[in-house]
Amino acid sequence: MKHLSFGKFLAHFFLLIIVFIWVIPTFGLLISSLRDKDQVALTGWWTALKHNEFNEIVRTEKSTVQFEENGVFVITGNLLKSAPSKSVINFGITSKNPKAFKAPSKVTMKNGSTFYLQKDGSYRWTSDKAFKHKKGKRIFLTVNTPPSLTLENYKEVLVFRGLGQSFINSLTVAVPSTIIPLIIGAFAAYALSWMNFYGRDLIFATIVCLLVVPLQMSLIPILTVYNQIGNFFGVSAKSYVGIWLAHTGFGLPLKIFLLRNFIKSLPHEMFEAARVDGASHYQIFMKIILPLSIPAFASIGILQFLWVWNDLLVALVFLDKMPSEIVLTSRLREMLGEFSQNWEILTTSAFVSMIVPLFVFLSLQRYFIRGLVAGSVKG
Amino acid sequence: MTFFNFIVYVVIGVSAVLSYFVLANWAHDYLVGKFSKKNLQDSIFRPWIFMAPALIILLVYLIYPVSETIRLSFFDNYGREFTGVSNYVWALNDSDFRQSILNNFLWLIVVPTTCTFLGLTIATLADRVWWGVFAKTLIFMPMAISFVGASVIWKFVYEYRGAGNDQIGILNAIIVYFGGDPHAWIAIPFWNNFFLMVIMIWIQTGLAMVIFSAALRAIPEETLEAARIDGASEVRIFFYIIIPFLSETIVVIWTTITILVLKVFDIVLAMTNGQWGTEVLANLMFDWMFRGGGDSGRGSTIALFIMLGVIPIMIWNLRRFKMEQER
């Protein structure tokens, strides 16, 4: 008994470690997408909930804002631009010693003027003589920055980086590319399971072969055909219709295969009874098979939808990169080059591209798993 | 493209397909019905009305392209002049191509093995703890994420800042914390391949786990019970009962992930674009499709090498299908 409970403990322990490793990367992405962009660039996301110290170099106001008060010349202002959540810890007036003083304190400058800096960044700089400097004086700050989570990055990528548009483009590709192969596949699957016609077994054997053909085999010839059609009619070779059909073609063998397995597993008697009543195949399909196949459609549809939504290769080859056509994955890949150091943009964009799949996954997980398990059995 | 356009596109696209089936069957019933009512039930035309769109699409998008790709691999870059096996000779002497073949082999060895091993381990462990379902959901989640999205996630994990700076990538941060030196992981030749493979493993382990979970549940409880009564240890039960029971499942997972790995493209394109010795066949092919206006001969030749990898699986599938038919 003691031995068993130790085994149990190990199971908990190892699984916990694995789950932890699995979740951490995505979690880091989500946190980073919610952080302030300066903080993302400077500190690790795991410090997001800590107060962080940043070094800043700021300048005081120019001499033009000085005023005279009881015979003393005064400049006042706020080095933190009145950000109420930040506070100054240390400051310095030379680059050699940027943390020389602790705020708040009074410092005498070289020229005899007095500089008084408070924790909130507001300062009062006084001198007996009039200030003459043209540029503001440099002050070195160590600033305590509280954790702040913001949706600013999401606004940035959705509105200004064209991701909102790409989101709709992705939907425009994915929804028809899911429904069309399901409809075409369902009719073909029915014919292959319940109808007798010449060459049926050969067609099905061909479909079994096509299941594993890599889509790389199709890219060059189909692109050539599309270009020729485009040239002939004087239209663009890259279009939504083109990519719908391409996705339909690449997904169809698996859709037919899975739907045939499903339709074939339906009870034979029900089908015979309908025949005796004089129903044609078309009527049987529409009135009996279709309603019964809804769960199968859901599983297979989710599989295809996620496949198309997450696809990059087909979109790169068959869709244009202009704003009205570029899909999320393709745009994300562009951004990896464009903003290679702007992690707040990259993490936010990646998360935007994951929202729909994650929603589908979490709400329809049961169907998704069913589809995957059925789909993998094909080998 | 606005949201309104999206709705219009979808409605037009879907209704075009639906209306074919409705109209074709209606026309069929009308025409055949004119001659005889009886023929409606066993019409020889109807199967072809059902099959036609699928057949045309399979022909245009898969069967014709496969033969065309084979043909193009013997032609020049524009597909005009027959050049014999010169593309194949080029490939075998090209350093990028050789690198790709080696890397693809590396991927084929490491990724399916690791996924299968981890998937089985996690499925077994998750069966033993009360929060197993929750754990499985979390490990399965990457399956829903695109390869590009996953690449961004992991590029962030591997992010490198020069020594002395605050590391913002968690991997380097951990290493620095324990006193090590930070590295630009994806730029270290040879080993960077493994850092890319981690992404694929991270995604695909969920698949292996889910399938193993389903298979584990199918093992009859009496068999396990009998073994326990005979005094077999859990480890013995695992190796002598569970593993043999799962042998077919293991093969299925192995082949599924193998097919996927042969085509690995997005991860390499997004992470390194084949630099620092990480090139793979699918990325090299994509490169040649567009490099210098596109070289259909070389592109096709590379595609054929990917195809070569799936042919054994294709034959095995076909044999299994035949056995099923005869049963």
Side-chain angles (χ1 to χ4, degrees):
Chain A
M1 199 59 217
K2 205 163 187 197
H3 172 78
L4 246 178
S5 60
F6 179 66
K8 264 257 189 297
F9 168 76
L10 275 185
H12 280 281
F13 180 71
F14 281 121
L15 195 59
L16 199 64
I17 289 181
I18 295 172
V19 168
F20 195 68
I21 295 172
W22 240 254
V23 172
I24 282 294
T26 321
F27 189 66
L29 184 89
L30 175 61
I31 297 289
S32 295
S33 73
L34 293 170
R35 293 179 77 202
D36 180 69
K37 79 180 209 193
D38 297 328
Q39 301 194 7
V40 171
L42 288 171
T43 56
W45 57 266
W46 49 93
T47 64
L49 293 177
K50 265 191 0 201
H51 282 255
N52 278 309
E53 287 178 15
F54 287 105
N55 298 319
E56 287 184 24
I57 303 172
V58 292
R59 282 183 187 278
T60 62
E61 299 286 339
K62 294 170 195 159
S63 58
T64 46
V65 303
Q66 65 183 308
F67 55 90
E68 213 181 328
E69 201 181 81
N70 307 331
V72 208
F73 294 90
V74 183
I75 296 179
T76 59
N78 191 315
L79 294 178
L80 293 179
K81 301 200 181 61
S82 302
S85 54
K86 295 183 178 177
S87 63
V88 179
I89 305 168
N90 296 308
F91 71 101
I93 48 177
T94 56
S95 58
K96 261 192 200 149
N97 202 349
K99 293 186 179 180
F101 313 105
K102 216 177 155 116
S105 56
K106 214 173 246 180
V107 180
T108 311
M109 301 265 194
K110 257 194 209 152
N111 59 5
S113 59
T114 315
F115 185 78
Y116 181 58
L117 180 67
Q118 301 211 307
K119 263 189 161 347
D120 66 354
S122 62
Y123 63 91
R124 187 179 164 89
W125 191 7
T126 53
S127 172
D128 300 338
K129 291 165 277 176
F131 290 102
K132 282 184 189 138
H133 59 267
K134 288 216 173 74
K135 263 175 154 184
K137 173 152 181 58
R138 280 200 300 173
I139 306 284
F140 302 86
L141 299 178
T142 307
V143 181
N144 184 348
T145 313
S148 71
L149 296 182
T150 143
L151 288 174
E152 209 43 43
N153 298 331
Y154 283 89
K155 197 177 142 197
E156 164 88 11
V157 299
L158 284 175
V159 180
F160 300 111
R161 304 291 165 203
L163 232 58
Q165 179 69 61
S166 291
F167 194 90
I168 298 177
N169 297 346
S170 271
L171 275 178
T172 314
V173 171
V175 174
S177 299
T178 305
I179 302 175
I180 293 171
L182 273 183
I183 301 172
I184 293 177
F187 275 99
Y190 177 88
L192 288 168
S193 16
W194 293 121
M195 292 164 125
N196 277 316
F197 57 94
Y198 181 75
R200 188 181 71 174
D201 288 345
L202 180 69
I203 290 174
F204 191 65
T206 312
I207 289 172
V208 170
C209 285
L210 292 178
L211 276 176
V212 293
V213 170
L215 67 88
Q216 274 85 358
M217 290 295 285
S218 299
L219 295 180
I220 293 174
I222 294 174
L223 187 65
T224 314
V225 170
Y226 277 15
N227 283 335
Q228 282 162 355
I229 293 174
N231 279 339
F232 187 78
F233 291 103
V235 293
S236 169
K238 310 199 164 185
S239 68
Y240 281 110
V241 178
I243 196 169
W244 292 345
L245 289 173
H247 273 306
T248 303
F250 303 143
L252 202 53
L254 182 59
K255 307 291 114 54
I256 296 178
F257 182 82
L258 293 178
L259 284 166
R260 176 192 172 267
N261 284 356
F262 176 79
I263 293 176
K264 227 182 158 129
S265 73
L266 293 172
H268 203 266
E269 298 77 36
M270 181 185 66
F271 176 80
E272 290 297 331
R275 296 270 297 160
V276 172
D277 288 348
S280 74
H281 279 295
Y282 181 63
Q283 287 162 327
I284 296 175
F285 180 83
M286 293 302 262
K287 296 201 176 118
I288 301 174
I289 304 296
L290 220 47
L292 283 174
S293 307
I294 299 296
F297 281 157
S299 301
I300 299 167
I302 290 168
L303 216 59
Q304 171 81 356
F305 178 83
L306 288 182
W307 201 91
V308 174
W309 183 275
N310 288 338
D311 157 80
L312 174 67
L313 182 55
V314 179
L316 281 179
V317 176
F318 295 116
L319 264 191
D320 212 351
K321 284 189 180 150
M322 57 190 187
S324 66
E325 281 190 8
I326 193 164
V327 293
L328 277 174
T329 46
S330 187
R331 178 81 188 109
L332 190 57
R333 188 244 153 183
E334 263 188 11
M335 285 175 147
L336 266 172
E338 223 175 294
F339 303 104
S340 59
Q341 287 308 310
N342 296 52
W343 280 106
E344 82 284 356
I345 289 186
L346 292 178
T347 52
T348 313
S349 306
F351 201 75
V352 168
S353 80
M354 286 156 46
I355 289 172
V356 169
L358 285 183
F359 176 77
V360 169
F361 168 75
L362 290 175
S363 56
L364 301 165
Q365 197 187 156
R366 188 177 296 270
Y367 290 106
F368 181 40
I369 292 179
R370 219 179 280 160
L372 267 180
V373 172
S376 67
V377 176
K378 79 184 196 284
Chain B
M1 183 61 53
T2 61
F3 196 74
F4 176 73
N5 285 2
F6 155 67
I7 302 285
V8 173
Y9 264 59
V10 171
V11 169
I12 290 175
V14 172
S15 53
V17 178
L18 272 181
S19 54
Y20 158 79
F21 285 107
V22 175
L23 289 178
N25 279 293
W26 176 82
H28 169 268
D29 290 357
Y30 179 77
L31 291 174
V32 177
K34 266 194 166 170
F35 297 103
S36 98
K37 270 268 172 298
K38 199 169 163 286
N39 268 348
L40 268 182
Q41 257 202 341
D42 283 307
S43 155
I44 48 161
F45 302 112
R46 182 132 31 215
W48 299 105
I49 291 178
F50 276 35
M51 287 300 298
L55 286 180
I56 292 169
I57 284 181
L58 291 178
L59 208 64
V60 173
Y61 283 88
L62 291 167
I63 295 168
Y64 155 75
V66 167
S67 61
E68 178 71 359
T69 296
I70 295 173
R71 185 187 73 86
L72 283 173
S73 74
F74 295 105
F75 281 68
D76 66 350
N77 53 344
Y78 294 115
R80 287 190 195 130
E81 230 166 281
F82 181 78
T83 54
V85 293
S86 72
N87 287 322
Y88 293 85
V89 174
W90 161 81
L92 296 176
N93 288 309
D94 185 63
S95 63
D96 282 343
F97 181 83
R98 288 176 171 196
Q99 176 90 65
S100 308
I101 291 275
L102 279 179
N103 287 343
N104 268 89
F105 261 109
L106 210 56
W107 280 77
L108 282 178
I109 294 166
V110 175
V111 177
T113 320
T114 318
C115 288
T116 312
F117 173 75
L118 279 176
L120 184 53
T121 310
I122 296 167
T124 315
L125 289 179
D127 265 358
R128 271 145 231 264
V129 300
W130 54 267
W131 48 285
V133 175
F134 178 66
K136 282 197 278 189
T137 302
L138 289 177
I139 288 168
F140 190 50
M141 197 142 58
M143 275 302 291
I145 298 174
S146 67
F147 287 131
V148 195
S151 298
V152 174
I153 293 178
W154 283 89
K155 214 170 185 179
F156 193 45
V157 170
Y158 298 147
E159 175 71 356
Y160 164 75
R161 292 286 155 96
N165 296 329
D166 267 2
Q167 297 294 333
I168 66 167
I170 194 164
L171 182 60
N172 276 321
I174 292 172
I175 285 169
V176 169
Y177 181 82
F178 286 108
D181 291 324
H183 289 286
W185 303 106
I186 55 171
I188 306 173
F190 185 68
W191 299 107
N192 50 7
N193 282 303
F194 294 93
F195 287 103
L196 301 197
M197 287 178 214
V198 163
I199 305 173
M200 184 66 109
I201 293 167
W202 182 69
I203 295 176
Q204 290 299 321
T205 295
L207 174 77
M209 177 197 73
V210 164
I211 298 170
F212 276 128
S213 263
L216 281 174
R217 238 169 282 139
I219 298 178
E221 194 57 40
E222 304 87 66
T223 316
L224 299 176
E225 212 48 55
R228 283 195 189 108
I229 289 169
D230 287 349
S233 71
E234 287 293 319
V235 178
R236 268 185 87 86
I237 290 176
F238 184 77
F239 283 105
Y240 288 91
I241 297 176
I242 295 181
I243 293 276
F245 248 107
L246 293 180
S247 57
E248 194 168 337
T249 315
I250 293 173
V251 175
V252 164
I253 291 169
W254 207 289
T255 48
T256 308
I257 299 178
T258 297
I259 293 172
L260 202 76
V261 165
L262 268 171
K263 297 185 288 187
V264 59
F265 163 75
D266 318 35
I267 294 176
V268 175
L269 181 77
M271 294 294 281
T272 60
N273 196 12
Q275 293 177 81
W276 305 299
T278 54
E279 193 64 283
V280 290
L281 288 175
N283 193 52
L284 189 67
M285 186 225 164
F286 181 76
D287 194 25
W288 278 107
M289 265 180 81
F290 297 105
R291 189 191 285 186
D295 189 326
S296 61
R298 288 177 179 180
S300 300
T301 309
I302 300 167
L304 270 170
F305 276 90
I306 302 175
M307 181 73 193
L308 214 59
V310 300
I311 283 180
I313 298 171
M314 194 188 256
I315 293 169
W316 185 72
N317 263 353
L318 210 54
R319 277 178 47 188
R320 234 175 37 155
F321 160 69
K322 261 199 188 140
M323 268 155 56
E324 243 165 61
Q325 292 293 89
E326 281 156 16
R327 226 187 281 153

